[in-house]
Amino acid sequence: MSDAAALPAGRAAPRFRRPSALPGFRLTFGITLTYLTLIVLLPLAVLLLRAASVGPAGLWALVTDARNLAALKTSFGLSLAAAAIDAVFGLLIAWVLTRYRFPGRRIIDALVDLPFALPTAVAGIALASLYAPNGWLGEPLMAMGIKVAYTPLGILVALVFVGLPFCVRTVQPLVAEIDKSSEEAAAILGASRFRAVVTVILPPLIPAMLTGFALAFARAVGEYGSVIFVAGNLPYVSEIAPLLIVIKLEEFNYAGATAIAAVMLLMSFAALLAINLVQDFSRRRFGHV
């Protein structure tokens, strides 16, 4: 007898136990919890326990260290900036690839996914060569007084590079579903192009943009390979938190490495929770496409 049939007449089955094509609820729910526990929750729990072993005072001293704080500010500040840039330009790229037909469109569409497949070290070397003081782009930028490689700006460029596909691919399907008649109706009613974009096009895309923003931010916070080659890795200037963790491990300072990792975990969780709350609000406010 199914779970729904066992309920009294007139009483609806709970939403998470409704019949589906998958096996029984208890089996699939148990597999889900077991898999998540082994793959996600257990490693994170070990990390937090290892960080807590140094004690509250020791953990606070490690967290408030000037070098650690500078690395955390660099990682999280530039990750937020890179995710914001990707959200804006990801929408523009998704719009062009979806709404327009031009020669080479399929090639450009495939190039968007290149940061997914490209090894991060290869991306870092390419960006460092391109934006170095004697590079193809670095040399003319240096002539204008703009130094990219081996500065925080170089980190930002690398983080924008690795996060862009997330923002494009999350928005692109929704752009394809927007009915052009709504844009035409806005134009007939006398709305300017800017007002049509703000009132007709953007509202249904905001939840997807926030999803891409969250994914790009999460990727940028933990990025290592593509950053270290172009960052310069100067303490208090262009040193990222993942690199500082590696340095601590090479010095056999496992307590310091786990403390920084635990702080990154908590800060990332708080940031993603805040983004998800805003995303949930936007979905209730603007609805789904």
Side-chain angles (χ1 to χ4, degrees):
M1 180 180 294
S2 66
D3 294 331
L7 293 173
R11 184 177 176 184
R15 186 176 183 87
F16 59 90
R17 296 181 65 177
R18 288 180 179 176
S20 68
L22 293 176
F25 167 77
R26 293 180 177 85
L27 175 61
T28 53
F29 188 66
I31 293 174
T32 300
L33 287 182
T34 302
Y35 186 83
L36 288 177
T37 299
L38 293 176
I39 302 300
V40 179
L41 298 181
L42 187 60
L44 296 182
V46 171
L47 173 64
L48 293 176
L49 289 174
R50 185 65 182 269
S53 64
V54 300
L59 184 61
W60 179 253
L62 289 169
V63 170
T64 56
D65 178 75
R67 184 177 179 182
N68 296 345
L69 284 176
L72 290 171
K73 289 180 181 178
T74 299
S75 289
F76 282 89
L78 293 178
S79 295
L80 286 171
I85 294 171
D86 283 332
V88 174
F89 287 94
L91 173 61
L92 294 176
I93 294 172
W95 185 271
V96 170
L97 292 177
T98 304
R99 286 298 184 92
Y100 300 105
R101 296 294 181 267
F102 51 89
R105 184 181 67 88
R106 293 184 180 275
I107 296 176
I108 296 177
D109 189 55
L111 289 176
V112 170
D113 295 326
L114 192 59
F116 283 147
L118 195 65
T120 55
V122 175
I125 294 173
L127 291 173
S129 302
L130 186 63
Y131 289 100
N134 58 346
W136 289 355
L137 294 180
E139 189 171 359
L141 288 174
M142 282 291 292
M144 295 185 291
I146 302 174
K147 184 178 181 181
V148 178
Y150 318 125
T151 67
L153 184 57
I155 301 177
L156 181 64
V157 170
L159 297 183
V160 168
F161 173 81
V162 299
L164 182 62
F166 294 100
C167 294
V168 175
R169 295 311 184 199
T170 53
V171 176
Q172 196 169 2
L174 296 184
V175 172
E177 292 180 7
I178 294 179
D179 190 359
K180 293 183 180 180
S181 62
S182 58
E183 303 170 44
E184 296 171 355
I188 293 173
L189 293 174
S192 63
R193 289 188 177 183
F194 176 78
R195 186 171 183 181
V197 169
V198 173
T199 60
V200 177
I201 296 174
L202 280 183
L205 296 178
I206 287 178
M209 291 179 64
L210 288 173
T211 299
F213 177 88
L215 293 173
F217 170 76
R219 170 67 189 273
V221 166
E223 183 60 23
Y224 176 78
S226 63
V227 174
I228 58 172
F229 292 98
V230 74
N233 309 321
L234 298 176
Y236 307 100
V237 178
S238 59
E239 187 177 53
I240 58 174
L243 174 62
L244 191 55
I245 292 174
V246 173
I247 292 174
K248 298 288 185 184
L249 290 175
E250 291 176 347
E251 296 173 350
F252 301 101
N253 185 2
Y254 299 114
T258 53
I260 298 173
V263 171
M264 288 190 66
L265 172 63
L266 296 176
M267 292 179 66
S268 299
F269 178 78
L272 292 175
L273 177 62
I275 294 170
N276 286 333
L277 291 176
V278 174
Q279 182 182 20
D280 183 64
F281 170 78
S282 67
R283 281 176 174 166
R284 287 186 279 108
R285 172 65 175 82
F286 301 113
H288 298 272
V289 177

